Amino acid sequence: MIKYLDLQCINARHEPHLTEAVQRVVASGRYLHGPEVKAFETAFADRCGGGYCVGVANGLDALTLILLSLKEMHGWDDGDEVIVPAMTFFATGLAVVRAGLHPVFCDVDPTTYLMDIQNAEQKINLHTRVLLPVHLYGSMANMSELDELARRYGLHIVEDAAQAHGASDSEGNHPGQMSIAAAFSFYPGKNLGAMGDGGAVVTWDENLAEIVRRFANYGAEEKYVHQCFGINSRLDEVQASVLNVKLPHLDAENALRRHQAALYAKHIRESALTLPYGGEVPDGSVFHIYPLLVPCPETMQKQLLEMGVETLRHYPLPLHHQPAFENVWNGEIYPMSEYIAAHELSLPIGPHLTDDEIVRVAESVVHAYRETI
Ligand SMILES: *Cc1c(COP(=O)(O)O)cnc(C)c1O
């Protein structure tokens, strides 16, 4: 069986260093607010191209904390608006609601699958405060274009970089460099994954970094003095020690994913199957997911499973069709998001796979498609 994801295999590549790092933390007696988190924050900010990094408990909190902090800094009202692509993981929209703001959905671009900038512009009104692009599948939105739009309307950009560790856009910008802040997740299956939950905020704004840190620590700047009703959201020492071991290998693992994406493009020769990004491997894209578009993904998923290939779908329901957003959605339609939801099939990709396995998956995909016609 070719597994979609194999965390045991992915993490075994970093042994014995992972076990040593965790044992060091166990022996240290220091589990929160310690040297591992501090070292990781410094190294990760560095890898993003500079600025401040605040470790938090998960990606959802990272996004929520950025939005809550901006809301406090600028005195935004409850219900002020944040524009979010309809095709993303649920957490992107949930963070907006958790921050007491209102998500307004927009469609995604047919070639990049990322926020459609023209469509986003149509959603801007006097209540709009934030553009929230998602670097979906590990491919980064064009930050210069977003920056131009944000400046024109006096908006902030907050990046959902939960799938884009180490990514850059076509001009070489990393997440957190061209926006007010970027949110990362270190969920185990992400390109940089912990052994449990973890997240981070990256920003060049010192004031924002301080407010996020305070909000994430019960609203306290000094112990037992609470400025506001914050939350408890911290990256812990065990998770940070794991991330410190894995971060130096991120670029090599991302390069391997790009190589695998190129192999897929070379071996999936079937015009009815739509390769992501026109079969190209865009500069700076880190292929957290390899999103193939196929006529009938459920059927193909079953066929592939019978051939010993596990796949997933990201995501079968766009945000506006999530039951939780029933009363948030204004009834607009987002054709490209619907199209991706109806046709996307994620092929296995990542450091647990060999070139031979990638080729076998590609051949199985083509074979499965030909069987159905
Ligand atoms: C994983 C993910 C999140 C949430 O991260 P968690 O650490 O699971 O809270 C948010 N947005 C996107 C696009 C994600 O893929």
Side-chain angles (χ1 to χ4, degrees):
M1 174 67 73
I2 298 180
K3 287 192 186 172
Y4 181 77
L5 180 67
D6 186 344
L7 291 172
Q8 201 173 23
C9 173
I10 287 173
N11 287 327
R13 293 160 50 93
H14 301 289
E15 287 290 33
H17 309 292
L18 287 173
T19 301
E20 283 165 8
V22 170
Q23 277 173 348
R24 204 168 54 234
V25 174
V26 172
S28 77
R30 189 111 194 227
Y31 308 122
L32 289 168
H33 302 299
E36 293 286 346
V37 171
K38 210 171 169 48
F40 177 71
E41 287 176 342
T42 305
F44 195 63
D46 220 47
R47 178 59 192 82
C48 291
Y52 303 88
C53 172
V54 183
V56 299
N58 54 63
L60 171 65
D61 282 2
L63 273 175
T64 309
L65 286 159
I66 293 168
L67 294 168
L68 278 171
S69 303
L70 288 172
K71 192 179 174 204
E72 180 186 280
M73 285 166 76
H74 299 290
W76 293 341
D77 294 323
D78 281 340
D80 276 356
E81 296 179 4
V82 178
I83 300 178
V84 177
M87 177 43 66
T88 180
F89 178 56
F90 182 66
T92 316
L94 176 59
V96 177
V97 174
R98 283 275 170 262
L101 297 166
H102 182 74
V104 171
F105 306 132
C106 72
D107 207 0
V108 292
D109 179 276
T111 50
T112 63
Y113 310 155
L114 305 174
M115 179 179 266
D116 178 329
I117 294 189
Q118 264 142 28
N119 192 246
E121 182 169 6
Q122 290 168 9
K123 314 296 175 197
I124 297 172
N125 64 44
L126 286 174
H127 303 287
T128 310
R129 303 287 173 244
V130 174
L131 297 174
L132 207 174
V134 181
H135 305 316
L136 196 69
Y137 307 140
S139 172
M140 230 183 118
N142 183 311
M143 294 307 294
S144 303
E145 275 179 44
L146 281 165
D147 181 61
E148 191 277 325
L149 179 64
R151 279 173 197 276
R152 199 141 39 86
Y153 290 94
L155 308 176
H156 285 289
I157 301 172
V158 173
E159 298 167 76
D160 183 339
Q163 301 186 358
H165 317 75
S168 51
D169 72 4
S170 52
E171 290 154 14
N173 302 302
H174 294 298
Q177 301 301 303
M178 290 276 287
S179 68
I180 187 70
F184 289 89
S185 161
F186 306 119
Y187 179 79
K190 300 288 160 89
N191 287 25
L192 179 60
M195 293 193 169
D197 280 310
V201 171
V202 173
T203 177
W204 269 101
D205 189 313
E206 188 178 5
N207 191 26
L208 177 65
E210 260 169 39
I211 296 175
V212 166
R213 205 178 276 287
R214 190 208 303 159
F215 245 115
N217 189 34
Y218 290 114
E221 216 153 318
E222 61 182 291
K223 214 168 184 184
Y224 305 131
V225 182
H226 301 265
Q227 266 90 10
C228 65
F229 300 112
I231 62 175
N232 172 1
S233 182
R234 305 154 179 151
L235 184 65
D236 65 68
E237 286 287 288
V238 171
Q239 300 311 329
S241 76
V242 166
L243 295 170
N244 280 326
V245 170
K246 292 177 76 175
L247 179 59
H249 304 280
L250 174 65
D251 288 335
E253 294 190 344
N254 283 343
L256 180 57
R257 287 170 180 272
R258 294 166 53 77
H259 165 73
Q260 293 171 339
L263 273 182
Y264 274 140
K266 183 171 158 210
H267 287 273
I268 300 178
R269 295 250 158 264
E270 179 53 72
S271 59
L273 305 173
T274 307
L275 298 169
Y277 323 117
E280 297 291 310
V281 175
D283 285 346
S285 182
V286 296
F287 283 90
H288 173 57
I289 286 167
Y290 190 86
L292 189 69
L293 303 185
V294 309
C296 186
E298 274 96 5
T299 308
M300 186 173 281
Q301 189 165 37
K302 279 193 205 110
Q303 290 170 295
L304 288 174
L305 202 56
E306 279 164 21
M307 291 185 235
V309 176
E310 207 176 37
T311 55
L312 290 180
R313 299 202 55 226
H314 299 90
Y315 295 93
L317 279 189
L319 292 189
H320 61 291
H321 288 324
Q322 294 292 347
F325 283 125
E326 193 181 308
N327 299 318
V328 170
W329 178 38
N330 59 8
E332 282 176 337
I333 55 157
Y334 312 99
M336 195 57 211
S337 299
E338 303 271 356
Y339 188 82
I340 295 172
H343 296 288
E344 199 272 349
L345 187 68
S346 307
L347 303 185
I349 193 162
H352 61 298
L353 298 163
T354 62
D355 284 6
D356 285 351
E357 287 173 314
I358 296 289
V359 173
R360 213 183 99 203
V361 173
E363 286 169 357
S364 303
V365 165
V366 173
H367 183 79
Y369 175 70
R370 293 196 177 144
E371 252 185 4
T372 60
I373 51 172

